[in-house]
Amino acid sequence: MANQTTTTPPRLARWHPRIAPRPLLAATCLGACMGLLGTLCALLVLGLALQFLPPELWGDSAAASLAGLGQDRIFVLAILYAPVIETLLGQLLPVELARRLGAPALACVLLSGLVFGCGHLVNGGLVHALTTFFSGMVFACAYLAMRWLGIGPAFLAAGSAHAVQNGTILYLIAPLFPGSA
C-alpha cells in the first residue's frame, strides 16, 4: 500500500489479510461502532456532570444554536460538515503532531480529547466540554486504530464515529427528551 507509513500492529496481524484489501470499509465499520461507544460515553459523562455539577456551571445547550435551522441544514451541519472539520482539527492535527514528536498513543488520545473538548467549551459550556472531551478520546482511539493503514482510513474512522454519534444523539436520543434542547 503506497500511503502506509507504519507496519501492521502485532495484535492486528491476523486481521491484516481481511482489512488491508478494503481499508475504507473497515474504517467505516469501526467508526460506526466507535460512534455508538462515544454516544454511551457522552451520555454517561452527561449524567454524572448534571448530577454533581451545580446548574450555574452547566453552560448553554449546544443544540440551542441549531434551533432556527431546518432539518436539512441540521443534517448537513451536524452529520456531514462538523465531523469533517472537527476531525481535522480535533483528531488528525493533534494526533499527527504528537506522533511526530514521539508521543505514545495514550498521550495522543488525551491531547486529542483535550483539543476536542476545549473547542466545544466555547459553543456549549462546561458540561458540553466534558462530554466532548471523552467523545474526542473515543474518536482519537478510532483514528489510531486505523492509522496503520494510512491517514485516509484513520480520518474516515474518526469522522464516521463522529457522524454516527451526532446522528444518534440528534435523531435517537434528543427526541426522547424534547424539552432538554
Side-chain angles (χ1 to χ4, degrees), residues 28-132:
T28 305
C29 291
L30 175 67
C33 293
M34 294 298 274
L36 295 175
L37 178 64
T39 302
L40 291 175
C41 288
L43 291 174
L44 177 66
V45 171
L46 175 65
L48 290 172
L50 295 180
Q51 183 68 34
F52 293 111
L53 290 176
E56 56 271 9
L57 293 179
W58 291 356
D60 297 329
S61 169
S65 62
L66 301 174
L69 303 176
Q71 286 297 317
D72 55 342
R73 282 192 166 162
I74 292 173
F75 179 83
V76 169
L77 285 175
I79 310 300
L80 302 176
Y81 181 73
V84 170
I85 300 302
E86 291 177 1
T87 298
L88 175 68
L89 298 174
Q91 279 77 48
L92 189 142
L93 292 177
V95 169
E96 290 300 323
L97 178 64
R99 285 181 79 231
R100 289 202 188 345
L101 294 174
L106 179 60
C108 294
V109 168
L110 290 172
L111 177 64
S112 177
L114 185 64
V115 169
F116 198 72
C118 287
H120 286 82
L121 179 64
V122 177
N123 184 25
L126 182 61
V127 171
H128 190 58
L130 288 173
T131 59
T132 55

